[in-house]
Amino acid sequence: MTDNSTDDAPPFVDIINGALEFTIPAAAKMGVQAVEVRRGFAATTVPLEGNGNHFGVIYAGVQFTVAEVLGGAIAVATFDNSAYYPLVKGFEIKFVGMAKSQLRAEATLPEEEIARIEAEAAERGKSDFTLEAVVSDADGNTVAVTKGLYQLRAHGK
């Protein structure tokens, strides 16, 4: 499911993909695309073509990017964008396999964590949260795992 909760709004996938071109042009040039975005969940992909390195696998920075954008995608689909925006505060990546095909990154933010973030942001104007993601190749093999520290911050804070 990739639709918003209201019928007249575009699907979150379309919102994220449209925004990438303007907010993170480097990610758009890599071919990073949101493929599934809903409350508490996002999945993105990036092609092999144009993203290789000197020894024939996907460049580490591309793997970082396809996973890092998940924090923004989940925030857009989960929280009140008129009141808050996401930012990344820190990011760790562990490479566990060779990336030789299109990649898919996925992350989930559980409902109880969403509730905590919403309450804390309402009270303090910001709330930190951690998002763990898995980056897989076309065969479903894990090639990287990530842990991002993000913050939901009120506009004007």
Side-chain angles (χ1 to χ4, degrees):
M1 181 177 172
T2 58
D3 291 331
N4 296 346
S5 58
T6 59
D7 292 336
D8 58 345
F12 287 123
V13 165
D14 294 343
I15 293 168
I16 299 303
N17 288 333
L20 275 175
E21 184 177 345
F22 301 104
T23 59
I24 313 171
K29 287 178 185 174
M30 290 174 195
V32 172
Q33 290 282 304
V35 293
E36 190 175 349
V37 182
R38 64 180 182 274
R39 180 178 173 86
F41 179 83
T44 53
T45 62
V46 68
L48 171 64
E49 185 175 326
N51 290 314
N53 64 13
H54 59 288
F55 58 94
V57 299
I58 293 184
Y59 174 61
V62 173
Q63 293 181 57
F64 172 98
T65 304
V66 75
E68 189 279 325
V69 299
L70 293 169
I74 286 177
V76 165
T78 305
F79 302 109
D80 179 359
N81 295 286
S82 67
Y84 302 101
Y85 65 94
L87 58 89
V88 63
K89 293 178 67 177
F91 202 82
E92 299 172 15
I93 187 166
K94 181 178 180 183
F95 302 103
V96 296
M98 301 299 271
K100 298 179 181 180
S101 68
Q102 172 176 300
L103 298 180
R104 178 182 172 102
E106 292 186 5
T108 301
L109 193 60
E111 280 297 326
E112 58 274 3
E113 180 67 351
I114 292 169
R116 182 199 65 79
I117 296 162
E118 287 173 329
E120 186 174 15
E123 180 183 325
R124 296 183 49 231
K126 61 185 176 180
S127 179
D128 289 352
F129 63 97
T130 300
L131 194 61
E132 295 182 3
V134 174
V135 182
S136 305
D137 66 14
D139 294 326
N141 300 311
T142 299
V143 297
V145 291
T146 67
K147 185 176 183 179
L149 176 60
Y150 296 87
Q151 185 174 84
L152 187 68
R153 184 178 288 192
H155 292 287
K157 298 280 181 178

